Structures are given as structure tokens and as C-alpha cells.
Amino acid sequence: MTAPLAGIRILEVGTMLAGPYATMLLADLGADVIKIEPPEGEISRQVSDSYFASLNRNKRSIRLDLNSQAGQDKLGELAAQSHALLVNLKPSAIRRLGLTYEALRRFNERIVCVAITGFGLDGGDDPAFDYVVQAATGVAALTGHPDGPPTLPGYSSADNSTGLAAALGLLAQVTSGRGGQVDVCLRDVMLSQLNYHASAYLNDGVEPQRRPFGAHSYYVPAQMFPTSDGYLALFITHDGFWKSFAAEANIDGFETMAERVARRDEVLAVVAGALASDTAANWESRLRPLGVPVAAVRTLPEALKATPEIIVSAGDFRLVANPIRIAGYQPEYRPPPKLGEA
């Protein structure tokens, strides 16, 4: 099967994570991604080879000093032959380097220019790294134990999520057949991902609160629980799940979600007591066949060992495969380019 994005050329002026992640996913699906790097190379090359590989496989590389006239001339040539350009830099740098639609439309009226920034192209140059944005948008305040400090997830959720949104915006505008500017910022993406929390506050005046063990605000029980060995994630979202779980755990009562929500503390105490009687692994093996949403908490190495099909080889690197699976198409995974390797 021909790659879904075969024939689509995308220029990337990306740094670190959000931008390179977006274009890597598109490259996996067949887009020709040309990574425009400064003469010394994109900064994430300095982090580690494996870090760079995790975000830049399946691309080509070109060294270009965009601060020079020669670099700007070459940028114009590339823009004339490309469907899109994606950049993640400060807004002032994006404009100064001519990486907007207004600057590039003279070379190609149909080019799509995607800007990933912290607070929008018109939002200023305040530093907007992933963890800073998580703190600023309420994510950190919702994470962790109520009696402990605000906590950050152990991975770059803002950068990764913004990369996905930027890839979606790029494809939407490319398929429209029109050129134009697409503006995606980390702040707005993270606020969007707090969707039902934001809606509850804006419409019902309900402020989100941090609950023990990451408990869900609407469903009970839906959280982590300690067991006799390890922690278990249990996610009961309707009465059918509860009926199956309660029968296996020898729990009586609380048959409707409304009752379980109204008697949250009582339900959680009963469930915690029942789950303490066995290990997380055993509860998973007991409940999964019943269709109950449940999982023992695993480390990343344990999860990768349990899911070998998600690991692919790109040259000498072992990486996580593209999560988008298209019937009849199998991506070819090439290693990340050396600096200037076309």
C-alpha cells in the first residue's frame, strides 16, 4: 500500500520535542520531512543520541543558517516546493526568521505554516517549557495527593499533546487545498485537555479538586488502590462493571452509580479492604476475564516487555512505533538523519 502521506513535503524548523514529534509522526506515515537545522545542529542532538532518535526518525536533514541571506534564499526555494512548514520557536524568532505564512506566501500561495508556541503567535515570548505550562494551566494543581505538593506527570505531556494537535492542524489545512497560518500553543492545548473539569467549573461552578490516588471526579470507584502487593488501577464507569467486580470481590450493595457517588468514602473504604486481600497481579488476572477495566501498575520496562509488538528498529535504535495503524500500510522505520544528511 502506498504511504498515506506519500507526496506531501513538510519543512520542519523544530527544537527539542513538540515540533519534532509532530513531524516524526507524519514522516512515519509517508510524508517527506526535511529538518532544517542551524549549522551546529538542532539543540536536542546534544541531549543524547537516543533522545534525538526518539523524535527524528524517518526525516532528512539540511543545514541552513536562517540568519543569513543565503539561508533565507534557500528557505524560499524549499517553501516553493513544499506543502507545509512547521516551526516551534519563540514568536519573535518565528517572525524574525520569516517562518510565517505572510513571509512565505510570495514563494508559494498554498503553503501551510504551522507555529507551535507557548502562548500563541501574538502571546509574547515568555518562556513556555512543558513543565511551566503544566503548572500554569492547572494540570499540576490537579495531580498528586491532596495533602502533598502539586505534582507533574513523569513525561512531557504538554509537548507531546501539542505536537499531536499541531499535526492535526497541519493536515486539516493541507487537505483544504488552501495555504494559511495555523497557530497552536501549549497553553491552549492543555486547557483543552482539561475539558470536563473546565466545563464543570464554567457551567456549574464546580472547582476541580485533587483526590487521593488520582480518583476520578465523576466515577466511583475509579482510581488507584493499594493491594497486598503493588497498586491496582480500577475504573468502574457503569453499573455493569460494578456488578461483575462486586461479585468477584464479595461486596454487597452500592448497585447504582448515583449511590456510589453519594457514598464515595464508604464505597472506597469497602473496595480498598477487599482489594487488600490479594495482589495487584492476581486481581488483574481475576477481573480482566470478567470485562472489568483494571490494570496492575507497571513500570515502563515492564510495560515494554509485555508489549513487544510496539517496539521497532530504526537502524541501530530500538524505538516505540507510530501509534496510528492503517490497514494495509506498514511504516518503514529509518534512523534519524545525521546533520545535513539528505
Side-chain angles (χ1 to χ4, degrees):
M1 178 179 174
T2 302
L5 297 181
I8 301 295
R9 174 173 289 176
I10 300 169
L11 306 177
E12 176 215 300
V13 184
T15 61
M16 299 303 286
L17 205 159
Y21 181 58
T23 53
M24 183 186 72
L25 294 178
L26 300 174
D28 290 344
L29 299 179
D32 177 19
V33 175
I34 300 175
K35 186 177 182 72
I36 297 175
E37 303 189 58
E40 67 277 12
E42 195 252 291
I43 191 171
S44 69
R45 288 184 181 273
Q46 302 172 24
V47 178
S48 73
D49 290 342
S50 61
Y51 181 94
F52 187 78
S54 73
L55 298 163
N56 291 285
R57 66 182 176 226
N58 283 340
K59 301 178 186 179
R60 296 194 280 153
S61 169
I62 181 172
R63 298 168 99 167
L64 215 56
D65 182 1
L66 294 176
N67 291 296
S68 70
Q69 187 57 52
Q72 285 294 311
D73 292 342
K74 183 61 176 179
L75 174 65
E77 292 177 18
L78 291 168
Q81 303 167 6
S82 300
H83 294 83
L85 176 144
L86 184 144
V87 56
N88 66 306
L89 294 170
K90 296 187 298 184
S92 62
I94 292 173
R95 290 193 171 90
R96 177 174 54 81
L97 296 173
L99 300 173
T100 63
Y101 178 71
E102 283 304 312
L104 294 176
R105 65 185 301 179
R106 62 194 173 102
F107 303 106
N108 181 355
E109 280 282 342
R110 296 180 64 179
I111 193 167
V112 173
C113 293
V114 182
I116 297 177
T117 62
F119 306 102
L121 267 174
D122 297 318
D125 280 355
D126 285 347
F129 290 90
D130 185 288
Y131 285 9
V132 173
V133 170
Q134 289 191 49
T137 55
V139 175
L142 273 172
T143 309
H145 193 278
D147 297 329
T151 304
L152 297 169
Y155 78 108
S156 301
S157 62
D159 278 342
N160 281 294
S161 300
T162 304
L164 286 168
L168 176 61
L170 183 152
L171 291 175
Q173 189 65 7
V174 167
T175 56
S176 77
R178 301 184 302 272
Q181 185 69 53
V182 177
D183 190 356
V184 182
C185 73
L186 276 74
R187 177 201 60 198
D188 292 0
V189 168
M190 295 315 291
L191 288 172
S192 172
Q193 294 205 341
L194 292 175
N195 36 46
Y196 62 82
H197 285 299
S199 182
Y201 172 69
L202 293 171
N203 296 287
D204 308 319
V206 177
E207 294 191 25
Q209 58 179 294
R210 202 186 314 162
R211 299 180 184 276
F213 298 107
H216 199 280
S217 56
Y218 288 124
Y219 305 120
V220 180
Q223 63 176 65
M224 300 290 182
F225 288 94
T227 69
S228 65
D229 183 15
Y231 285 84
L232 187 79
L234 179 68
F235 207 73
I236 303 295
T237 57
H238 62 68
D239 296 339
F241 288 154
W242 173 259
K243 183 178 180 180
S244 298
F245 166 71
E248 182 66 23
N250 292 316
I251 297 174
D252 295 321
F254 314 113
E255 294 179 357
T256 67
M257 179 61 72
E259 182 181 8
R260 292 192 295 277
V261 171
R263 302 170 65 183
R264 174 186 287 268
D265 291 344
E266 187 178 349
V267 171
L268 295 182
V270 171
V271 171
L275 293 178
S277 66
D278 205 347
T279 68
N282 284 345
W283 276 115
E284 182 180 285
S285 64
R286 290 167 61 180
L287 295 171
R288 278 252 173 115
L290 304 177
V292 177
V294 64
V297 174
R298 293 184 174 87
T299 64
L300 175 60
E302 290 169 339
L304 291 173
K305 184 177 180 180
T307 320
E309 66 274 12
I310 198 67
I311 301 172
V312 298
S313 294
D316 294 333
F317 295 98
R318 300 173 70 223
L319 304 169
V320 175
N322 191 301
I324 302 167
R325 299 186 182 183
I326 298 174
Y329 173 68
Q330 179 61 46
E332 174 189 355
Y333 292 103
R334 303 186 308 277
K338 295 180 171 60
L339 183 58
E341 181 182 32

